[in-house]
Amino acid sequence: EDILDDLNGFVLMVVALVHDVDHMGLNNSFHFKAETPMGILSNSTGSTSVLEVHHCNLTIDILSDPGCNILKGLSSHDLKHAIKLIIDCILATDMAKHKELMEFGAKLFENGIDASDHEHTKTVMQLILKGADISNVTKPFDISRRWAIAVTEEFFQQGDKEREMGQDVNPMFDRASNKALADGQVTFIKFVGKPYFELLQSILPRFQYWKDVAQNNEGAWMQMHA
């Protein structure tokens, strides 16, 4: 409440609902390699964020439906502000931009957060949404484990499709690799999850819980791996 005003807080809740709308369980790389219509369109326009642009387009379509437009009470100025923020936040969830977002946030907030600075509040929203997007590693272990099983199966199904199409299969997506579930989770938490939530907690101390649970889950997976 001391960083985001009512409008930005509302937009953050909206974008949390829509940021993965119509995700079909296939990543951006697949759409480029398989030359799906979405992949071809993105390649032609120079965008690498195939899915994220798709989520943005569908969100705008949904909000254009009078029966679904929960932003209709906003003024013209606030509506433009909200739509721009929704798009910026969704685009920031592209994992290909993960490192870029972390580096930008770390530098931007070296001296703390200025709630009156639009770039600061926008980046806080992007960081929180990104945290929510990869938050399966911050759930209690039993829940996090079920998420890990579901996500890994999603990866394997993409790998199966790639193999059927004669495409190279990323080892992480290869069902035949027989890689232990714990291996992938330890790697993800160690190199992606934990560094991210350490940064997020350093900027927003109230996220200490997420950081602690991610670290605890890493320990639990390591015990299963041993």
Side-chain angles (χ1 to χ4, degrees), residues 4 7-17 89 125 128-129:
L4 302 180
L7 177 58
N8 286 341
F10 177 61
V11 170
L12 183 58
M13 288 190 288
V14 172
V15 76
L17 291 171
C89 285
M125 293 171 68
I128 292 174
L129 182 66

Side-chain angles (χ1 to χ4, degrees), residues 91-110:
L91 292 178
T93 62
D94 185 348
M95 284 303 294
K97 299 176 180 176
H98 181 82
K99 182 179 179 182
E100 177 185 338
L101 179 62
M102 285 187 67
E103 291 176 348
F104 181 78
K107 184 172 183 179
L108 183 65
F109 299 123
E110 281 179 332

Side-chain angles (χ1 to χ4, degrees), residues 3 99-127 199 202-203:
I3 299 172
K99 182 179 179 182
E100 177 185 338
L101 179 62
M102 285 187 67
E103 291 176 348
F104 181 78
K107 184 172 183 179
L108 183 65
F109 299 123
E110 281 179 332
N111 299 312
I113 299 172
D114 179 357
S116 66
D117 186 318
H118 172 68
E119 193 66 28
H120 279 224
T121 55
K122 180 183 77 172
T123 305
V124 164
M125 293 171 68
Q126 291 174 323
L127 288 168
L199 171 67
S202 72
I203 297 169

Side-chain angles (χ1 to χ4, degrees), residues 167-186:
Q167 302 283 350
D168 292 334
V169 180
N170 184 314
M172 187 170 64
F173 291 66
D174 190 354
R175 193 185 299 274
S177 68
N178 293 318
K179 188 174 182 180
L181 179 65
D183 285 353
Q185 291 306 297
V186 169

